[in-house]
Amino acid sequence: MTASTLGRNLEILEKYRKYADMAELRADCLDPDERLLIRRFPEQAGMPVILTIRRDIDGGHFVGGEGARISLMARGLAYAEADRRRNFAYLDIEEDLNVSSLEEAARTFGTRIIRSYHNIKGTDADLPAKIRSMRRSGDEIVKVSVMANSTRDVLELLCAGRECEGQEKILISMGHFGTYSRILSEQFGSFLSYCSALSEPDALPAAPGQIEVRELANLYRFRNITGATKVYGVTGYPLKATDSPHFFNTVFELEGTNAVYVPFPADSITDLMEISKELNVEGLSVTVPYKEAIIPFLDFQSDEVRVIGACNTLTLTPQGWLGTNTDARGFSDSLLTFLNKPNFKRQRVTVIGAGGAARSVVFELHRLGAKALILNRTVHKARRLAAPYKFAWGGLDERGIEKMEKYHDIIIQTTSAGMEGINPNDISADPAATYNFCGREEVMDLVYKPKMTAFLKRASNAGCNVQNGYDMLIRQARYQYIQFTGKEFPEHFLSRVQFGEI
Ligand code: ATR
């Protein structure tokens, strides 16, 4: 609770009561006058409350001296009531704060101590020793909240926690890299997880990486996560925004499957694979830039992965990690449905781009009988991709575009040009701007944000049938679901599991 008055905190608490099991009153966020009135907050809150007065050096807002802070803590404990529900249930005391009278008072009145350590800059090297030494008496809960600047930092915290299994503790990797430590607190061995009412305009985010309370409760079904919950996720970098958790978690919920799907942003795929092992992750969606880098970690792989050289799906099997590529089938299913055709026989197709996405497309075009021309800005990549299939190739220049005349039944745009977020200054980018559509081409763009790229708009205006990459995205995710669970995809739920906004 980070509002500036107690009244406002109570209002927010009321609104989100059903999602929370306890509240943390961040008294450092209160107006100075309000801080004098904290004693009655637990009774008013009607649920167990943690009293925390965070210093600025630990990422909080308390800038007064330690004397003032300690008196405020004492004020929170004073006049203890026989009915313990009227007292603060927990008091957060930093590990370097030595005030034994405060600790004694807390213990006497049944207020448990959360012994906390914060590092808002990074993750300390000596964490296992730190965790072991922090607890001063048997009933204290150790809290370590450190900034993760990398995937390695999250791994360090996770491993440090493993060394003190069985102890009540709270382990948090702050920041973007550590967001999943807040969802998988059971797997991290944490006693609780903190979240914020971030959609309230006056509720400050209490710490970097905190998740909005309803998102934690509804999207990730935090309260249902136990040691028996199957863990899946998506990894990539920077992985700032991904719709996959929405898709998979909704299906799991509708199906009543005890499983959760979380984002695993990773700056090192090696470290992420170690984390996956530690957390018993059973399936991973793999996205940019790791579709190739993941291959050495596979224990075995599908033919598609071997030929295409890219893998977007990892499934844990008794024999180890199986790598598959659901982009390929997702693409061909989508395009064939759009064309209402069983295969690409007698179709002459231009593929624009020769990157990872194009490799899956070209593999499927060949498998299903098309004749294709591959055009790429960097010509040698087009030639290299075309060679094993004996397809034509060229640059995205005048000569290349001229070649399209013989390959224009279907045109497939696979580059990231025109994609939102990739070229922030230029979503109007059109990789084949000099090609004139005659109106009879069937045109697909793998991009789905925006719904219509500049390229697709031009095709549509010329009278072509056009399709974006959204349907392909859904189809490849359905294949991932089948890989992960070994079950058929529940088609009747499809209309309820759209990928966020499209
Ligand atoms: P993906 O997995 O999305 O295909 P990739 O493997 O990095 O990503 O490939 C990106 C593709 O988009 C490449 O074909 C790239 O062309 P180059 O090989 O010449 O780099 C293409 N691409 C990206 N931006 C482009 C632009 N503005 N115009 C034309 N092609 C572009």
Side-chain angles (χ1 to χ4, degrees):
M1 313 307 308
T2 57
S4 61
T5 68
L6 292 163
R8 181 67 185 127
N9 275 327
L10 288 171
E11 219 174 274
I12 295 173
L13 187 58
E14 214 41 60
K15 187 164 166 190
Y16 298 96
R17 175 175 297 280
K18 67 174 178 187
Y19 305 112
D21 302 297
M22 52 175 102
E24 180 193 42
L25 177 64
R26 280 283 301 271
D28 53 298
C29 299
L30 292 171
D31 290 339
D33 287 352
E34 290 280 319
R35 289 176 183 165
L36 305 176
L37 307 171
I38 57 177
R39 180 62 193 87
R40 287 195 54 218
F41 192 77
E43 184 184 351
Q44 293 163 331
M47 66 165 75
V49 180
I50 304 168
L51 174 60
T52 300
I53 311 170
R54 191 70 70 230
R55 303 176 287 211
D56 55 347
I57 51 159
D58 290 328
H61 299 271
F62 197 89
V63 287
E66 279 302 78
R69 203 166 70 96
I70 292 162
S71 349
L72 201 50
M73 287 189 194
R75 189 179 280 269
L77 297 176
Y79 316 113
E81 302 258 2
D83 180 355
R84 287 186 173 188
R85 284 172 303 180
R86 295 181 170 185
N87 301 332
F88 280 100
Y90 302 88
L91 174 66
D92 186 304
I93 304 184
E94 292 80 4
E95 50 106 36
D96 60 350
L97 186 68
N98 293 302
V99 185
S100 49
S101 54
L102 209 57
E103 292 164 20
E104 211 133 294
R107 265 179 228 118
T108 313
F109 306 137
T111 300
R112 287 189 72 185
I113 293 171
I114 296 177
R115 184 72 63 180
S116 65
Y117 171 71
H118 295 83
N119 183 343
I120 54 172
K121 295 218 166 73
T123 297
D124 309 66
D126 59 343
L127 277 181
K130 177 141 230 125
I131 296 176
R132 269 196 305 272
S133 65
M134 275 169 68
R135 212 155 58 121
R136 301 202 190 154
S137 76
D139 67 343
E140 290 190 3
I141 300 161
V142 166
K143 175 188 177 191
V144 173
S145 185
V146 287
M147 179 61 76
N149 295 313
S150 64
T151 305
R152 165 70 38 177
D153 283 350
V154 185
L155 181 61
E156 299 275 338
L157 181 70
L158 183 58
C159 292
R162 291 291 188 257
E163 288 192 25
C164 21
E165 219 130 11
Q167 226 190 73
E168 276 183 316
K169 57 191 174 302
I170 303 164
L171 301 178
I172 299 161
S173 269
M174 288 188 280
H176 179 59
F177 282 116
T179 306
Y180 51 93
S181 70
R182 301 177 180 280
I183 305 169
L184 303 174
S185 31
E186 180 73 31
Q187 284 69 15
F188 273 73
S190 286
F191 172 74
L192 58 77
S193 183
Y194 297 85
C195 57
S196 309
L198 287 174
S199 41
E200 298 300 317
D202 55 341
L204 307 166
Q210 267 195 13
I211 299 173
E212 200 269 337
V213 53
R214 281 174 303 193
E215 190 172 319
L216 194 62
N218 294 338
L219 175 61
Y220 296 107
R221 291 183 295 142
F222 178 75
R223 281 179 168 154
N224 296 355
I225 300 177
T226 66
T229 303
K230 287 181 190 289
V231 179
Y232 301 96
V234 53
T235 189
Y237 184 78
L239 203 72
K240 285 276 183 226
T242 164
D243 293 326
S244 300
H246 183 262
F247 178 89
F248 284 99
N249 288 318
T250 311
V251 186
F252 290 148
E253 182 179 6
L254 291 170
E255 281 244 287
T257 305
N258 184 11
V260 64
Y261 184 103
V262 302
F264 288 111
D267 64 344
S268 152
I269 194 67
T270 309
D271 293 339
L272 197 271
M273 292 312 285
E274 275 196 53
I275 287 177
S276 302
K277 198 166 140 203
E278 205 56 55
L279 295 175
N280 293 323
V281 173
E282 301 200 21
L284 274 177
S285 309
V286 181
T287 184
V288 180
Y290 297 129
K291 289 184 185 183
E292 289 154 42
I294 197 73
I295 291 178
F297 295 91
L298 303 177
D299 295 295
F300 55 117
Q301 55 192 260
S302 68
D303 287 348
E304 277 96 338
V305 170
R306 204 166 24 77
V307 179
I308 296 168
C311 166
N312 76 331
T313 311
L314 259 66
T315 315
L316 193 63
T317 72
Q319 292 78 41
W321 286 114
L322 163 66
T324 49
N325 184 317
T326 68
D327 286 334
R329 291 294 166 111
F331 156 73
S332 53
D333 279 9
S334 175
L335 183 54
L336 289 172
T337 308
F338 170 66
L339 299 173
N340 194 22
K341 286 191 191 314
N343 55 48
F344 298 119
K345 282 191 183 135
R346 288 182 297 282
Q347 299 298 306
R348 299 186 66 91
V349 185
T350 295
V351 177
I352 298 168
R359 288 214 299 271
S360 296
V361 165
V362 170
F363 175 87
E364 285 298 273
L365 289 174
H366 178 262
R367 187 176 70 84
L368 293 160
K371 291 266 181 299
L373 161 71
I374 303 166
L375 298 183
N376 195 46
R377 185 175 59 181
T378 312
V379 187
H380 71 87
K381 279 163 74 182
R383 186 181 56 202
R384 204 167 36 187
L385 177 56
Y389 302 105
K390 300 199 166 49
F391 283 168
W393 52 273
L396 275 171
D397 47 23
E398 208 178 316
R399 274 177 58 203
I401 300 288
E402 264 173 33
K403 290 183 188 169
M404 288 176 72
E405 239 169 74
K406 293 199 177 119
Y407 292 89
H408 67 181
D409 296 326
I410 305 169
I411 301 174
I412 305 160
Q413 197 301 107
T414 73
T415 79
S416 47
M419 190 190 287
E420 241 171 65
I422 295 283
N423 295 318
N425 304 318
D426 190 16
I427 63 163
S428 61
D430 180 339
T434 57
Y435 176 74
N436 287 317
F437 291 98
C438 68
R440 286 190 302 277
E441 303 92 334
E442 307 277 356
V443 183
M444 178 172 185
D445 196 323
L446 266 45
V447 173
Y448 62 97
K449 272 183 190 173
K451 282 186 203 172
M452 288 278 250
T453 56
F455 173 79
L456 215 52
K457 257 186 226 152
R458 215 158 50 75
S460 176
N461 290 343
C464 303
N465 292 322
V466 301
Q467 150 125 315
N468 71 14
Y470 181 73
D471 180 63
M472 168 180 165
L473 179 75
I474 289 278
R475 286 175 191 272
Q476 69 76 25
R478 274 148 86 183
Y479 280 124
Q480 288 195 329
Y481 179 91
I482 295 167
Q483 280 294 333
F484 289 161
T485 63
K487 293 194 288 193
E488 283 302 304
F489 184 82
E491 297 294 334
H492 51 290
F493 292 142
L494 195 56
S495 62
R496 294 164 70 181
V497 291
Q498 300 300 301
F499 265 80
E501 267 179 51
I502 53 162

